[in-house]
Amino acid sequence: MNLHVCMLKENDCYKAGRTIVPKGVMVHSTGANNPNLRRYVGPDDGLLGESSSRNWNQSGVGACVHAFIGRQKDGTVATYQTLPWTMRGWHSASGPKGSANNTHISFEICEDDLSDETYFRAVYQEAVELTAYLCQRYGLDPKADGVVICHQEGHQRGIASNHADVLHWFPMYGKSMDDFRADVAQAMEEETVTQEQFNKMMEVYLKSRTKLATSDWAKEPLRQAVERGFTDGTSPQGFATRQEVAAMLNAALK
């Protein structure tokens, strides 16, 4: 799973600040031909690309999920967490038996035009891994009744509005929600990570940090530090080793 964090703090749902005890995970897809995360998530962290003026990090949107899965600006498929996992989202609306907003963590898969099998396979696997992570974290059994469901299944259960997702898309590529739940369960069983795998994941993570842009609050201090020769200003959000810290301190004390 290629997980990043970009909280939608300007969304009215985030500002409401209500919480839940997670009892399940609800899978959604966006219903629009735009696989780019920047359509929904912002601001740009250096990997997303310039956010759409219609992104969800603003007041008045009327909906909010805990995460989005889609493409970064370089085409890489990633997951962006957009609400704390235990915050009550606005994703399912209600049915005659209540609302999954009160019980389920939610995420949206950014749809393309539904014709690209390679893209589908990539976001499907990312969704499996995200759901496995959430089930592991909150002690949920993905095969138990009503734990891992899609929006359409939520409607059938009377806890969501009448939407088709994701069963208008998954079957096009031979996948059902039963397949999805089984794949999540299998991923949970295979979660043991070797040292080699961990090292590779850490390498990817550290490399991603070097691509992040300077935070607004740090731009002026960084500029001054570069002028004084304390640092070269590259990789502003990369982690510093002790030897690098020692070199910067030595330059500052001269």
Side-chain angles (χ1 to χ4, degrees), residues 67-221:
F68 283 89
I69 294 173
R71 284 182 175 145
Q72 297 172 310
K73 66 180 178 181
D74 67 356
T76 302
V77 168
T79 299
Y80 271 74
Q81 181 185 358
T82 47
L83 288 177
W85 301 125
T86 56
M87 182 171 280
R88 183 182 186 274
W90 293 352
H91 59 93
S92 69
S94 299
K97 295 183 180 179
S99 173
N101 289 339
N102 299 320
T103 53
H104 284 61
I105 299 170
S106 59
F107 64 86
E108 292 270 8
I109 306 173
C110 297
E111 293 184 16
D112 61 354
D113 63 1
L114 310 187
S115 68
D116 185 343
E117 183 171 357
T118 299
Y119 176 71
F120 172 79
R121 299 294 176 194
V123 294
Y124 178 89
Q125 184 59 33
E126 189 78 5
V128 166
E129 293 176 11
L130 171 60
T131 306
Y133 163 76
L134 293 169
C135 287
Q136 191 101 34
R137 179 164 179 169
Y138 293 102
L140 305 173
D141 178 359
K143 289 188 173 182
D145 184 53
V147 173
V148 175
I149 58 177
C150 69
H151 196 150
Q152 185 178 139
E153 290 177 321
H155 172 67
Q156 292 166 355
R157 288 174 171 271
I159 57 172
S161 58
N162 188 8
H163 280 221
D165 54 325
V166 293
L167 295 180
H168 69 301
W169 187 14
F170 279 24
M172 295 173 67
Y173 296 102
K175 291 293 186 179
S176 67
M177 280 302 296
D178 285 339
D179 293 324
F180 184 80
R181 285 182 278 268
D183 290 340
V184 170
Q186 182 176 351
M188 292 172 69
E189 292 174 1
E190 298 173 350
E191 186 157 297
T192 301
V193 177
T194 66
Q195 186 65 48
E196 182 180 359
Q197 290 171 326
F198 175 80
N199 292 346
K200 180 62 177 177
M201 288 188 289
M202 182 58 69
E203 180 184 341
V204 171
Y205 172 70
L206 292 174
K207 185 176 181 181
S208 72
R209 296 289 309 179
T210 67
K211 297 179 181 180
L212 297 178
T214 307
S215 299
D216 289 342
W217 65 266
K219 288 180 179 178
E220 181 57 23

